[in-house]
Amino acid sequence: MTDTVIAGMLGTAQAALERFHDVVVDDDGALTFAHGGVLCVVQGTELEEGLPVLNITCVVAWDLSDPDVPSRVGLGVGEGLFGTPRVVRGEHGWDVTLRYAFPASGLAEGPMGTLLMLVVSSASSMRAELVGD
C-alpha cells in the first residue's frame, strides 16, 4: 500500500511541477528538473510505517571558491523559509544544497505545486546571492 501512496504523491508532484518545468521521471520514480540554474530532485520514501514523505533536494551551487561561503549560508543567504541548507567542502570548492522533506499524502496538485515552488524559489534566491546569477 505504501508504494501506491508514494507513487500517488510523486504523480501529484509531477503534475504540479510540469506546470512550470520540464520534468524527467527517473527509473526509480524520482523526479528531476532544473530551475534558474538549480538542479532539483524529488523522491518519495516512508520514514516509518504510515508516514510517507516527499523529499526535495536542490543543488544550489558547486565548486565555489569563496572562503566565506559557509559563513554566508549560515547567516541566512537567500533567507528562505522552506528547506535546510548544507555546505560541504568538495574537491574543487564549496558545494551547497537545500533539502526539504514533508508529508505529502493527500495534498492536491495546487498546494503541492505551491509548496515545491517555495522550496525551489528559496534555492534559486540562495544561488543568485552566492554566484550572482
Side-chain angles (χ1 to χ4, degrees):
M1 176 161 182
T2 300
D3 289 341
T4 304
V5 171
I6 291 172
M9 293 185 322
L10 286 168
T12 302
Q14 179 181 355
L17 288 167
E18 285 179 336
R19 294 181 1 213
F20 308 102
H21 304 286
D22 292 328
V23 177
V24 175
V25 180
D26 298 334
D27 291 341
D28 64 356
L31 311 173
T32 58
F33 63 98
H35 176 83
V38 175
L39 307 174
C40 303
V41 63
V42 178
Q43 299 168 298
T45 191
E46 185 175 40
L47 289 182
E48 69 174 58
E49 187 174 334
L51 183 56
V53 299
L54 289 184
N55 177 60
I56 180 169
T57 302
C58 301
V59 180
V60 173
W62 53 94
D63 297 341
L64 299 176
S65 59
D66 180 354
D68 292 332
V69 167
S71 297
R72 291 174 65 200
V73 171
L75 291 172
V77 68
E79 293 198 23
L81 297 175
F82 293 91
T84 303
R86 182 166 186 216
V87 180
V88 175
R89 180 75 179 164
E91 186 176 325
H92 301 287
W94 297 106
D95 300 334
V96 181
T97 59
L98 184 74
R99 295 185 71 183
Y100 186 67
F102 59 99
S105 181
L107 278 181
E109 183 179 321
M112 176 81 76
T114 298
L115 188 54
L116 290 169
M117 291 311 296
L118 285 168
V119 177
V120 171
S121 294
S122 293
S124 293
S125 294
M126 183 182 293
R127 179 175 175 79
E129 288 190 41
L130 289 172
V131 301
D133 281 354

